[in-house]
Amino acid sequence: MQFIDLMAQQQRIYENILGNIKGVLQHGQYIMGPEIRELEERLAHYAGARHALSCSSGTDALLMALMAYDVGPADAIFTTPFTFVATAEVISLLGATPVFVDIDPETFNMDPVHLEKAIAALENKDPNQYPLPKGYEKLYPKGIIAVDLFGQCADYDRINTIAQEKNLFVLEDAAQSFGARYQAKMACNVADIAATSFFPAKPLGCYGDGGMVFTSDDVLYNKLTSVRVHGKGSDKYDNIRIGINGRCDTLQAAILLAKFDIFPEEIEMRQHVANRYTELLGKSEHITCPFVAEGCMSAWAQYSVLSDKRMEILNALKGAGIPTAIYYPTPLHLQTAYAYLGYSKGEFAVSEETAAKIFSLPMHPYLREEDQIRIADVIRSI
Ligand SMILES: *Cc1c(COP(=O)(O)O)cnc(C)c1O
């Protein structure tokens, strides 16, 4: 059994993938070939955003989005400590400072009540109101990175409202949520700007690294096109700002075009797999199944459950040859790389408790019912 079975998908669309790769080998435009524009247009249309800009990875998508907002030293960016390190890393890379905000215990996404407290504490320069990072005296609120963890959108109604009141931008880290829905909108179109990833294991993955930035703001989009190619102006030898080499490979775009043809169907298949897990495991006394908020449809990047008996269950599953994973065992405020922020244990209690109890089961559109029954049987035997 695979944790994420990419081969089952490849077998289904093998000829189309090969045909698209051959197309690139024939025209030879390996950098910014016609597949790039086609992919951007199709994905912008799908997400409902005016613009989509492909790039080299999900991390670079986040970085470029922050660069489009001129994020730099003295800027505080609010985000959660219960996420993949890339979310906070891009803030630090620009010399800005992540200000952590604890998560909701059910969705694992940013808790808007905590967000308000963190913003107020920073405005009042008062770490007694809410934990603040070292150097907070010199920081000013600039933006928010909300993460759509495991494929479910964060609470954008409340987060966007808070952001508007405080004049902050909202960047949606949609690395795990492409294809998800939030009320009447699609993920990647629920905030000012969004970043997704095409890392192979994400809901829409390529065969290498890739990512995409989405926005409906023309000014931001124009800046992003410049940032993506070394801060180009009228051409690439006219450099008007500091940028990066952030392009997506034409070959990856060609592969994604073949995969995107079946993506909406795969999102439906993921719903069936997730629902089946919840039916099989919902009544087990040692497991808390994922909670999907009203009006949300998850892209189910992961099916993650909570348990007080995590080690026992993981060992039993391992013994039965069933792969599992822990996303994420250490919240970012307790990571060595973030020791410089000076946060301490206990300051983000929900994130810490979640990190101690969470684990993820095999999840992909092609997971068979018989395999899910076997997984549930092992878990229920504890
Ligand atoms: C995967 C991921 C990223 C980074 O994407 P890459 O394409 O691997 O650079 C960022 N944020 C979150 C939440 C992710 O899951």
Side-chain angles (χ1 to χ4, degrees):
M1 201 185 303
Q2 301 282 316
F3 187 68
I4 295 176
D5 189 347
L6 295 175
M7 202 45 97
Q9 178 200 56
Q10 189 188 86
Q11 279 167 356
R12 229 187 119 184
I13 53 171
Y14 188 71
E15 289 306 322
N16 294 350
I17 291 174
L18 216 54
N20 283 10
I21 291 174
K22 278 184 187 159
V24 177
L25 298 188
Q26 275 155 15
H27 68 56
Q29 295 178 56
Y30 306 118
I31 300 293
M32 297 303 276
E35 288 82 0
I36 293 286
R37 196 71 210 120
E38 189 184 345
L39 181 72
E40 290 172 344
E41 277 168 13
R42 284 182 68 188
L43 267 56
H45 182 258
Y46 175 78
R50 188 148 9 133
H51 305 290
L53 184 118
S54 63
C55 64
S56 36
S57 70
T59 305
D60 285 340
L62 290 165
L63 179 68
M64 287 164 54
L66 295 184
M67 290 171 83
Y69 277 101
D70 297 313
V71 167
D75 290 334
I77 307 290
F78 299 88
T79 193
T80 90
F82 193 64
T83 178
F84 182 57
V85 68
T87 312
E89 191 176 40
V90 291
I91 302 168
S92 307
L93 276 172
L94 294 172
T97 305
V99 175
F100 291 128
V101 173
D102 213 353
I103 55 168
D104 176 278
E106 289 187 308
T107 63
F108 315 128
N109 288 329
M110 179 180 279
D111 185 332
V113 174
H114 283 254
L115 174 63
E116 279 189 303
K117 285 186 192 166
I119 296 171
L122 187 63
E123 284 176 341
N124 299 332
K125 307 289 183 214
D126 182 3
N128 294 317
Q129 288 183 19
Y130 200 80
L132 294 175
K134 256 189 202 155
Y136 67 86
E137 301 90 341
K138 297 198 185 88
L139 293 180
Y140 296 90
K142 171 88 170 188
I144 300 164
I145 307 182
V147 184
D148 302 342
L149 206 70
F150 303 139
Q152 173 168 221
C153 284
D155 188 348
Y156 289 100
D157 275 350
R158 288 160 76 197
I159 292 170
N160 287 338
T161 303
I162 295 165
Q164 274 154 21
E165 276 167 16
K166 299 291 182 184
N167 198 23
L168 306 173
F169 69 80
V170 180
L171 164 56
E172 177 191 6
D173 183 343
Q176 302 182 7
S177 65
F178 187 70
R181 273 208 298 270
Y182 180 78
Q183 298 166 11
K185 288 186 166 186
M186 299 294 290
C188 295
N189 187 36
V190 291
D192 298 311
I193 192 165
T196 197
S197 163
F198 303 130
F199 184 83
K202 308 283 165 145
L204 179 62
C206 58
Y207 289 156
D209 279 308
M212 188 89 72
V213 187
F214 295 82
T215 185
S216 293
D217 182 317
D218 297 341
V219 175
L220 281 178
Y221 175 71
N222 287 332
K223 253 172 121 170
L224 286 163
T225 58
S226 166
V227 167
R228 175 170 64 180
V229 186
H230 303 291
K232 74 180 167 86
S234 51
D235 64 67
K236 71 173 171 178
Y237 301 114
D238 173 32
N239 310 108
I240 58 173
R241 60 170 60 80
I242 300 298
I244 63 171
N245 174 358
R247 293 174 300 244
C248 178
D249 292 344
T250 308
L251 271 171
Q252 297 302 341
I255 290 160
L256 283 165
L257 282 169
K259 289 190 168 209
F260 185 61
D261 286 337
I262 57 164
F263 180 72
E265 183 194 340
E266 288 185 337
I267 286 286
E268 292 306 315
M269 293 162 77
R270 286 174 184 273
Q271 306 307 314
H272 291 300
V273 172
N275 291 341
R276 226 153 44 201
Y277 264 138
T278 303
E279 276 165 32
L280 289 165
L281 295 169
K283 291 194 188 68
S284 344
E285 118 189 56
H286 299 303
I287 293 279
T288 306
C289 289
F291 169 80
V292 181
E294 182 78 31
C296 285
M297 188 191 81
S298 177
W300 295 110
Q302 301 295 340
Y303 188 91
S304 304
V305 302
L306 297 170
S307 178
D308 289 325
K309 299 201 178 304
R310 177 169 74 181
M311 273 337 287
E312 257 179 84
I313 294 174
L314 290 185
N315 283 333
L317 288 168
K318 192 175 177 190
I322 295 162
T324 56
I326 298 179
Y327 302 117
Y328 296 92
T330 308
L332 298 186
H333 67 289
L334 303 178
Q335 291 278 5
T336 311
Y338 279 112
Y340 79 96
L341 294 177
Y343 283 114
S344 39
K345 210 170 158 117
E347 288 188 316
F348 303 97
V350 182
S351 295
E352 290 171 33
E353 196 171 317
T354 303
K357 291 184 179 174
I358 204 150
F359 66 96
S360 304
L361 297 172
M363 180 74 216
H364 57 85
Y366 305 96
L367 191 60
R368 294 176 308 177
E369 182 170 13
E370 62 210 78
D371 287 336
Q372 290 188 276
I373 291 173
R374 196 154 75 80
I375 293 166
D377 284 345
V378 174
I379 292 174
R380 281 187 307 223
S381 72
I382 302 290

